[in-house]
């Protein structure tokens, strides 16, 4: 599948992007492990979340839906999962694989986690190592999927993450639910805290300080009602597009603004973006707002390293913003981008050069010299965030942009083409 996007245009109107993927994953996981029926609205019905739902169905959890973002999960409690008769296929989802590894490490049965070709290239050693320290029995192929997990008694650990990662932190805390004693995780920098918020929402006691979370094993989770806010990562593509396209004025409704996720708003604002948060409120323990964004002239900046983990999934869009800014933008401390769905530093640098932008690739980031975007053909390498970012780049390009290998956009944003066209992007989807 490819996108062909014509140059120019503006983004205007009101949109609601799909539900937050991170919260959707966690609502399914904790709902399945809770006592009672959890009802979810606003769920993201992308392929990644559907893979998590399928995994728990394979372990005996009755789940109704999803239908129009609504889901009913009949929880089986922490000890109620059944041995799956097939490998659990995580598709393209690193979140599903890493979080499920934490849950499965403490079960009384064996299981296997598999994924697509892209996921099998992604490193899993950073989650395997702490789980093994807790007593987990996990085998992998050079630290990569498939993961074969034989359930084992676990014990709590004190673990310091070598690299900030919400997925690894969450996997350890989920394993800690099954561990004897206390499990504590310390982070080198803040990461998204959806797992901690949701564990407390499901009634599980969790001690938390800045960069530090602890829980005792052996408790219980109580079913909840969850309204999933719109995904800030999905909203980012429209924040980008409305900022770089002249005469744009766009309102994005009901967007989650968890402070561990809003690094991209601070980065774009530092570059000169006109982004206003209105109707601030709290829904299910998560802060939410409507976001208005209007076109603006951007200036290149040195992005503070402290903001990198708070915007790690949004950096493909930041690369495009930097390409449209005056002067140079310096990204550093972002080596994590090399082990996402693609090597995002290399793929973004290659794509921007194809479109006429000077990029100096660095081991942990890049130096991007803003300039005039040209049309051309870029390869997203199956990375959904890269595909959507280059689609928005066409708003400032001199010619059409053809983006290859866009099928995985369905993993996080299945209706992106429709919403983008509704907002004003001249986008055509071609199969094949």
């Amino acid at each position: 599948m490819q996108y062909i996007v014509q140059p120019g245009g503006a983004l205007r109107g009101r949109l609601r992007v799909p539900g937050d993927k991170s919260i959707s994953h966690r609502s399914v996981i904790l709902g399945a492990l809770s006592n009672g029926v959890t009802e979810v609205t606003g769920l993201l019905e992308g392929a990644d979340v559907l893979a998590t739902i399928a995994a728990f169905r394979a372990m005996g959890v009755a789940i109704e839906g999803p239908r129009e973002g609504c889901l009913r999960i009949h929880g089986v409690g922490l000890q109620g999962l059944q041995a799956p008769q097939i490998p659990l296929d995580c598709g393209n989802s690193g979140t599903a694989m890493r979080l499920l590894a934490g849950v499965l490490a403490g079960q009384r049965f064996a299981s296997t986690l598999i994924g697509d070709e892209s996921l099998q290239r992604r490193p899993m050693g950073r989650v395997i190592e702490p789980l093994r320290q807790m007593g987990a029995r996990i085998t992998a192929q050079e630290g990569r999927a498939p993961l074969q997990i034989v359930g084992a008694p676990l014990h709590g650990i004190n673990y310091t993450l070598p690299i900030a990662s919400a997925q690894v932190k969450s996997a350890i805390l989920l394993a800690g639910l099954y561990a004897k004693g206390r499990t504590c995780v310390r982070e080198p920098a803040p990461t998204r805290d959806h797992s901690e918020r949701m564990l407390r929402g499901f009634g599980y006691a969790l001690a938390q300080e800045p960069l530090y979370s602890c829980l005792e094993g052996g408790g219980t989770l109580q079913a909840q009602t969850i309204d999933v806010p719109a995904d800030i990562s999905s909203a980012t593509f429209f924040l980008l597009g409305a900022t770089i396209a002249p005469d744009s004025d766009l309102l994005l409704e009901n967007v989650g603004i968890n402070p561990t996720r809003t690094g991209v708003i601070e980065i774009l604002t530092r570059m000169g973006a006109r982004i206003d948060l209105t109707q601030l409120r709290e829904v299910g323990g998560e802060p939410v707002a409507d976001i208005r964004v209007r076109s603006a002239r951007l200036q290149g900046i040195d992005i503070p390293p402290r903001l990198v983990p708070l915007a790690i999934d949004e950096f493909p869009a930041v690369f495009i913003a930097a390409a449209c800014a005056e002067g140079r933008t310096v990204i550093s401390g972002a080596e994590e981008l090399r082990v996402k769905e693609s090597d995002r530093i290399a793929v973004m640098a290659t794509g921007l050069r194809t479109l006429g932008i000077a990029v100096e690739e660095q081991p942990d980031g890049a130096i991007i010299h803003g300039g005039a975007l040209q049309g051309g053909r870029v390869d997203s390498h199956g990375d959904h965030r890269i595909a959507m970012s280059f689609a928005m780049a066409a708003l400032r390009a001199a010619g059409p942009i053809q983006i290859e290998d866009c099928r995985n956009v369905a993993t996080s944003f299945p209706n992106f083409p429709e919403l983008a066209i509704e907002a004003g992007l001249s986008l055509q989807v071609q199969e094949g």
Side-chain angles (χ1 to χ4, degrees):
M1 177 187 291
Q2 63 179 3
Y3 292 164
I4 299 175
V5 193
Q6 299 302 319
L11 300 188
R12 306 184 68 85
R14 304 169 69 99
L15 294 178
R16 178 160 179 174
V17 301
D20 186 283
K21 184 166 70 167
S22 296
I23 297 174
S24 294
H25 276 298
R26 288 158 173 82
S27 67
V28 175
I29 292 170
L30 295 186
L33 300 178
S34 69
N35 298 319
V37 178
T38 291
E39 298 193 356
V40 184
T41 57
L43 184 91
L44 171 66
E45 294 186 41
D48 282 6
V49 176
L50 295 179
T52 297
I53 292 171
F56 280 99
R57 281 181 172 144
M59 291 186 285
V61 180
I63 301 176
E64 301 172 52
R67 287 185 292 273
E68 298 181 348
C70 297
L71 199 68
R72 282 173 56 87
I73 307 166
H74 297 262
V76 297
L78 284 172
Q79 306 300 329
L81 295 179
Q82 301 171 17
Q85 301 303 304
I86 58 173
L88 302 176
D89 189 350
C90 299
N92 188 244
S93 179
T95 301
M97 181 165 285
R98 293 188 176 104
L99 271 58
L100 283 170
V103 171
L104 294 169
Q107 301 303 318
R108 292 168 289 185
F109 53 75
S111 57
T112 300
L113 293 173
I114 62 174
D116 66 11
E117 184 178 348
S118 170
L119 184 55
Q120 290 186 54
R121 292 195 300 267
R122 297 181 67 180
M124 294 293 151
R126 283 181 295 147
V127 72
I128 293 172
E129 174 57 28
L131 293 178
R132 282 177 174 166
Q133 289 186 27
M134 298 177 75
R137 298 166 60 191
I138 304 176
T139 58
Q141 299 179 358
E142 298 181 349
R144 288 172 167 79
L147 305 184
Q148 295 175 324
I149 304 171
V150 178
L154 304 181
H155 55 82
I157 59 171
N158 286 283
Y159 190 76
T160 299
L161 295 173
I163 298 174
S165 170
Q167 293 178 2
V168 176
K169 173 182 66 175
S170 297
I172 296 168
L173 292 175
L174 288 170
L177 300 175
Y178 295 92
K180 182 178 180 180
R182 193 170 178 82
T183 297
C184 301
V185 184
R186 186 175 297 278
E187 304 177 87
T191 65
R192 59 189 64 178
D193 65 351
H194 301 304
S195 293
E196 295 94 313
R197 288 173 182 262
M198 195 169 286
L199 280 165
R200 286 196 297 269
F202 275 81
Y204 207 98
L206 183 131
Q208 199 170 8
E209 300 174 8
L211 306 180
Y212 190 67
S213 300
C214 279
L215 56 77
E216 293 276 350
T220 58
L221 298 164
Q222 297 302 319
Q224 298 295 313
T225 298
I226 300 170
D227 183 16
V228 180
D231 195 326
I232 183 66
S233 293
S234 296
T236 293
F237 306 108
F238 292 93
L239 297 179
L240 166 68
T243 294
I244 65 175
D247 301 319
S248 292
D249 189 344
L250 190 65
L251 185 71
L252 300 166
E253 299 176 326
N254 202 52
V255 181
I257 53 165
N258 184 303
T260 64
R261 297 285 301 281
T262 53
V264 67
I265 292 177
E266 184 170 346
I267 291 170
L268 292 176
T269 300
R270 283 171 174 259
M271 296 177 75
R274 301 163 66 196
I275 298 173
D276 298 308
L277 305 184
T278 63
Q279 302 295 319
L280 276 70
R281 54 206 184 273
E282 189 169 287
V283 177
E286 290 280 351
V288 171
D290 296 342
I291 304 179
R292 184 185 183 192
V293 55
R294 290 165 285 174
S295 52
R297 293 181 62 179
L298 299 180
Q299 297 289 328
I301 62 169
D302 288 8
I303 296 175
R306 69 173 180 83
L307 293 178
V308 170
L310 304 182
I312 196 65
D313 282 339
E314 292 75 51
F315 265 94
V318 173
F319 272 74
I320 301 298
C324 296
E326 297 179 12
R328 73 171 197 170
T329 296
V330 179
I331 300 168
S332 60
E335 60 272 11
E336 176 78 1
L337 293 174
R338 293 201 179 273
V339 292
K340 290 291 186 178
E341 283 82 343
S342 68
D343 180 339
R344 286 181 173 162
I345 295 172
V347 175
M348 289 302 302
T350 299
L352 286 175
R353 291 190 194 108
T354 298
L355 302 181
I357 301 298
V359 182
E360 302 170 43
E361 189 175 332
Q362 309 290 324
D364 65 342
I367 300 171
I368 303 163
H369 299 269
L373 282 165
Q374 306 301 311
R377 176 185 174 277
V378 297
D379 190 340
S380 75
H381 289 265
D383 192 317
H384 52 127
R385 300 195 194 281
I386 288 175
M388 290 183 278
S389 296
F390 276 115
M392 290 298 174
L395 290 161
R396 278 281 293 274
I401 296 179
Q402 179 179 333
I403 308 154
E404 303 291 340
D405 202 1
C406 299
R407 193 169 302 279
N408 279 339
V409 170
T411 64
S412 66
F413 202 153
N415 64 333
F416 171 75
E418 292 81 3
L419 278 184
I421 292 167
E422 177 185 337
L425 193 69
S426 181
L427 182 152
Q428 179 184 3
V429 179
Q430 290 191 348
E431 294 290 340

